């Protein structure tokens, strides 16, 4: 009569939290994969993108986890991600395609400054995430933005180059650390922001790693007065502060209508017009200083 002994079914959120607590990464990857396939089969491409990329990130970071989840899951997950990459209407794809198209009108320095302006808007969030164990490197974004901006004008001393290289390596190593899959911080006026929410737009930490790696290659080539074709700008950095995974995960139905995303898109296109039409080092420095004070989630 009173339902003694009955257990309420676990929600997907409860199941994910339980697996995160256990640090059962293979089962967590499977759970994300199952959520992603269900969303994709229902035509919910944003959630399919969110969950399938989380599954891929986990099993790709560890050979042991990869072996546990098995080739069948990995192959299907990869095929589905490939299908999603061809969906023109998917927010993630549409924004990156527009950025790449507009970048054709810019030169190398303009491309780099455009990306750096976006990275500057992650400084405050990076500082807060750097308090999570193993994520201390994100507290270096403030220094790194300034260093890379200065070094576009004048070659840096060797010790600054080495420090940026150390940061580049630390950003690469973030993926695979427990805090990347489990850590979260409070967000202003909303649901907690998970470190894993950086996984969107092809992994913000990997985009930052790619941007710094490209910058290091550029500086190395310039110091030797040669041209390095592998030092091309990392255009994905322009979109790094959109953070669509956070808004999809917390319930947004239309990413184009999320106030924070609309504000960030306005900044992206405004920055584009600035670097294309009226760029000066002085105004760029002012923009970077202001952006570093911005709480991107507010």
């Amino acid at each position: 009569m009173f339902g003694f002994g009955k257990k309420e079914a676990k929600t997907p959120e409860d199941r994910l939290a339980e697996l995160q607590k256990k640090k059962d990464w293979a089962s967590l990857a499977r759970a994300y994969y199952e959520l992603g396939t269900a969303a994709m089969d229902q035509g919910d491409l944003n959630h399919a993108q969110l969950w399938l990329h989380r599954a891929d990130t986990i099993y790709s970071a560890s050979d042991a986890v990869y072996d546990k989840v098995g080739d069948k899951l990995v192959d299907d997950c990869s095929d589905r991600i490939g299908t999603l990459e061809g969906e023109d209407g998917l927010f993630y794809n549409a924004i990156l395609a527009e950025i790449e198209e507009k970048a054709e009108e810019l030169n190398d320095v303009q491309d780099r400054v455009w990306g750096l302006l976006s990275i500057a808007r992650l400084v405050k969030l990076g500082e807060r995430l750097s308090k999570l164990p193993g994520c201390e490197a994100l507290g270096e974004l403030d220094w790194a933005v300034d260093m890379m901006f200065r070094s576009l004008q004048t070659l840096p001393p060797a010790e600054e180059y080495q420090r940026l290289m150390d940061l580049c390596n630390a950003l690469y190593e973030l993926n695979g650390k427990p805090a990347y899959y489990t850590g979260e911080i409070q967000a202003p006026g909303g649901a907690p922001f998970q470190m894993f929410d950086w996984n969107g737009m092809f992994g913000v930490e990997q985009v930052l790693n790619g941007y710094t790696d490209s910058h290091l290659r550029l500086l190395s080539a310039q110091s030797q007065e040669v041209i390095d074709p592998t030092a091309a700008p990392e255009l994905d950095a322009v979109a790094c502060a959109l953070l669509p995974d956070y808004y999809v995960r917390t319930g947004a139905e239309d990413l184009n209508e999320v106030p924070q995303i609309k504000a960030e898109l306005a900044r992206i296109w405004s920055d584009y017009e600035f670097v294309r039409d009226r760029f000066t080092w002085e105004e760029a420095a002012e923009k970077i200083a202001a952006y570093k004070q911005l709480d991107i989630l507010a």
Side-chain angles (χ1 to χ4, degrees):
M1 178 176 177
F2 294 102
F4 291 127
K6 284 188 176 181
K7 291 185 178 180
E8 294 185 5
K10 291 181 180 178
T11 66
E13 292 78 11
D14 290 338
R15 183 185 176 200
L16 293 174
E18 185 176 283
L19 293 173
Q20 288 170 335
K21 187 176 181 180
K22 291 180 178 178
K23 296 182 172 56
D24 185 348
W25 307 135
S27 296
L28 184 60
R30 291 191 198 98
Y32 282 136
Y33 165 77
E34 291 166 5
L35 289 171
T37 55
M40 193 168 183
D41 292 345
Q42 294 165 12
D44 184 352
L45 300 187
N46 282 335
H47 278 90
Q49 172 89 4
L50 169 71
W51 301 128
L52 290 174
H53 273 276
R54 287 198 176 193
D56 176 79
T57 295
I58 293 173
Y59 65 64
S60 297
S62 165
D63 290 342
V65 174
Y66 187 101
D67 291 340
K68 283 184 179 179
V69 300
D71 289 339
K72 183 177 179 180
L73 183 153
V74 169
D75 290 345
D76 186 61
C77 190
S78 297
D79 288 345
R80 287 175 179 271
I81 288 174
T83 299
L84 290 172
E85 289 174 353
E87 292 285 347
D88 293 337
L90 191 61
F91 176 86
Y92 299 73
N93 300 338
I95 295 303
L96 291 175
E98 188 170 0
I99 287 170
E100 290 174 0
E101 181 181 349
K102 291 183 180 297
E104 293 178 0
E105 300 182 29
L106 305 179
N107 61 34
D108 184 273
V109 170
Q110 290 170 322
D111 278 336
R112 292 179 187 279
V113 173
W114 192 19
L116 199 57
L117 289 166
S118 293
I119 294 172
R121 296 193 286 271
L122 290 177
V123 165
K124 283 295 181 185
L125 179 58
E127 288 176 351
R128 291 159 63 197
L129 289 169
S130 71
K131 304 300 189 295
L132 297 173
C135 300
E136 294 81 7
L138 297 175
E140 291 278 291
L141 287 182
D142 190 342
W143 169 82
V145 167
D146 287 345
M147 181 274 186
M148 288 188 284
F149 181 70
R150 290 193 307 269
S151 62
L152 285 172
Q153 304 164 73
T154 306
L155 283 174
E159 58 269 21
E160 288 199 352
Y161 180 91
Q162 183 60 52
R163 182 177 173 184
L164 187 64
M165 182 178 290
D166 292 342
L167 174 60
C168 183
N169 293 333
L171 289 168
Y172 180 80
E173 293 167 359
L174 274 178
N175 182 9
K177 293 189 175 182
Y180 191 84
Y181 307 142
T182 64
E184 65 179 32
I185 60 172
Q186 290 301 309
F193 183 89
Q194 296 180 353
M195 183 67 204
F196 220 167
D197 291 329
W198 277 49
N199 205 53
M201 307 306 282
F202 306 107
V204 172
E205 82 295 342
Q206 296 304 304
V207 169
L208 295 177
N209 164 261
Y211 185 95
T212 53
D213 180 71
S214 168
H215 194 84
L216 288 163
R217 291 175 185 272
L218 174 70
L219 296 179
S220 177
Q222 288 180 338
S223 70
Q224 301 173 57
E225 298 183 350
V226 298
I227 296 174
D228 182 355
T230 68
E234 177 62 70
L235 290 176
D236 289 354
V238 174
C240 67
L242 284 166
L243 306 175
D245 276 19
Y246 172 68
Y247 299 104
V248 171
R249 182 180 61 80
T250 55
E253 295 184 4
D254 184 351
L255 289 172
N256 288 293
E257 295 303 317
V258 174
Q260 294 91 333
I261 286 183
K262 291 172 71 174
E264 177 57 15
L265 286 173
R267 287 186 286 263
I268 287 173
W269 306 136
S270 175
D271 288 346
Y272 169 72
E273 293 174 359
F274 164 68
V275 297
R276 184 191 63 184
D277 299 332
R278 60 181 193 279
F279 173 79
T280 66
W281 291 110
E282 292 78 11
E283 187 172 348
E286 292 173 1
K287 282 180 171 290
I288 285 174
Y291 284 153
K292 289 196 301 180
Q293 301 305 313
L294 185 66
D295 189 335
I296 201 70
L297 297 177

